[in-house]
């Protein structure tokens, strides 16, 4: 009888621990997405308080991963003939959760589907020799470069080169360097190893990681070069903004010049233009909004 009672107690404790873990994941998700009021309401209702210091950076992705697994399950139950339509319906639900169609202002030029999974970030090059080049990155960590005028494409960084989805990229305005920020907090400087856009679209050119910067504690939301390419700013949900300077133009090594802590997760950073080029604008989460 004692063993039965002990077993029942252990099962009950296990369920309570699992419930606390599940609620904790939801609380972190709400916190990272900026839904502070909803997080506080759940804390009151569940009796479980969100402790940011004890929440691991990896837990913020659990709910998103669960949604991805569920979507894969839905596709696995769909006949082959209807998978494309089902996948498109899932994407449409994510892009337009209310079901309303999104109509573009102009159809422009339609490029071929160059990614096998969801595209997360798209960035044009500023550099003179790389005009009309756009880099698109996806959930498998690959980067495709496209000449928007000719329609030519090339997978510059293949899946697996980075170990996490790429959330943000930015071309250096003075050369062919590409700054990359990932969901696991990793951030890198990549040399695309090309002198012009013709070389960039050539399969003979292999990119090289010139340096990986100190990882953020949570995913990198935005990575941006300043207007002359001498400074690089990064930000994350770990509440931190970092500024790097190019210490050696030939070796392209970045040196950490500043580290700034904010009271909330940092959504984005952007450098000013013209007379405001020395300003870095920072947006942080505040109750579901940014300021």
């Amino acid at each position: 009888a004692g063993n039965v009672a002990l077993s029942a107690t252990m099962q009950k404790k296990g369920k309570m621990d699992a419930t606390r873990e599940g609620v904790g994941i939801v609380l972190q998700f709400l916190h990272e997405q900026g839904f502070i009021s909803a997080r506080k309401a759940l804390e009151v209702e569940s009796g479980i308080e969100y402790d940011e210091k004890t929440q691991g950076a990896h837990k913020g992705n659990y709910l998103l991963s669960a949604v991805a697994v569920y979507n894969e399950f839905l596709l696995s139950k769909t006949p082959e003939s209807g998978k494309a339509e089902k996948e498109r319906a899932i994407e449409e639900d994510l892009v337009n959760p209310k079901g309303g169609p999104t109509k573009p202002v102009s159809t422009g030029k339609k490029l071929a589907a160059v990614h096998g999974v969801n595209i997360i970030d798209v960035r044009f090059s500023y550099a003179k020799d790389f005009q009309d080049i756009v880099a698109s990155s996806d959930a498998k960590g690959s980067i495709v470069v496209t000449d928007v005028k000719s329609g030519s494409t090339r997978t510059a960084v293949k899946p697996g080169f980075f170990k996490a989805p790429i959330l943000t990229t930015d071309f250096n305005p003075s050369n062919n360097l590409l700054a990359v920020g990932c969901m696991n907090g990793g951030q890198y400087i990549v040399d695309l190893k090309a002198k012009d856009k013709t070389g960039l679209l050539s399969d003979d050119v292999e990119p090289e990681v010139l340096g990986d910067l100190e990882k953020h504690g949570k995913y990198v939301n935005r990575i941006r070069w300043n207007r002359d390419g001498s400074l690089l700013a990064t930000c994350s949900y770990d509440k931190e903004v970092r500024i790097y300077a190019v210490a050696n133009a030939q070796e392209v090594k970045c040196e950490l010049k500043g580290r700034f802590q904010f009271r909330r997760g940092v959504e984005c950073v952007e450098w000013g233009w013209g007379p405001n080029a020395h300003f870095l604008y920072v947006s942080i989460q505040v109750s579901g909004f940014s300021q």
Side-chain angles (χ1 to χ4, degrees), residues 128-155:
K128 180 179 179 182
D129 294 329
F130 295 91
Q131 290 180 354
D132 307 321
I133 291 293
V134 62
S136 53
S137 52
D138 64 31
K140 286 191 175 180
S142 68
I143 299 175
V144 174
V145 290
T146 302
D147 184 336
V148 295
K149 280 194 173 179
S150 68
S152 301
T153 66
R154 172 177 172 257
T155 302

Side-chain angles (χ1 to χ4, degrees), residues 61-113:
N61 301 331
Y62 281 2
L63 285 182
L64 297 178
S65 299
V67 171
V69 171
Y70 178 65
N71 287 339
E72 290 292 333
F73 169 76
L74 291 179
L75 289 176
S76 69
K77 298 297 182 181
T78 304
E80 287 294 330
S81 60
K83 279 193 174 181
E85 291 78 4
K86 187 67 176 179
E87 191 168 20
R88 181 59 189 156
I90 292 173
E91 292 177 355
E92 197 60 38
D93 184 56
L94 290 172
V95 175
N96 301 301
K98 294 182 180 180
T102 301
K103 296 182 179 180
V105 176
S106 172
T107 55
K109 178 181 289 187
K110 185 176 180 180
L111 301 174

Side-chain angles (χ1 to χ4, degrees), residues 5 15 33 38 45 87 113 134-136 159 168 178 184 205 218 243 249:
K15 289 181 180 180
Q33 299 302 314
E45 184 176 342
E87 191 168 20
V134 62
S136 53
T168 177
L178 186 68
N184 64 355
V205 177
K218 296 181 180 178
I243 297 178

Side-chain angles (χ1 to χ4, degrees), residues 32-34 221-222 235 237 265-269 283-285 290:
E32 290 183 345
Q33 299 302 314
N221 287 326
R222 189 68 60 88
C235 70
Y237 279 143
V266 185
E267 291 280 3
C268 66
V269 290
S283 176
I284 64 173
Q285 297 174 322
S290 296

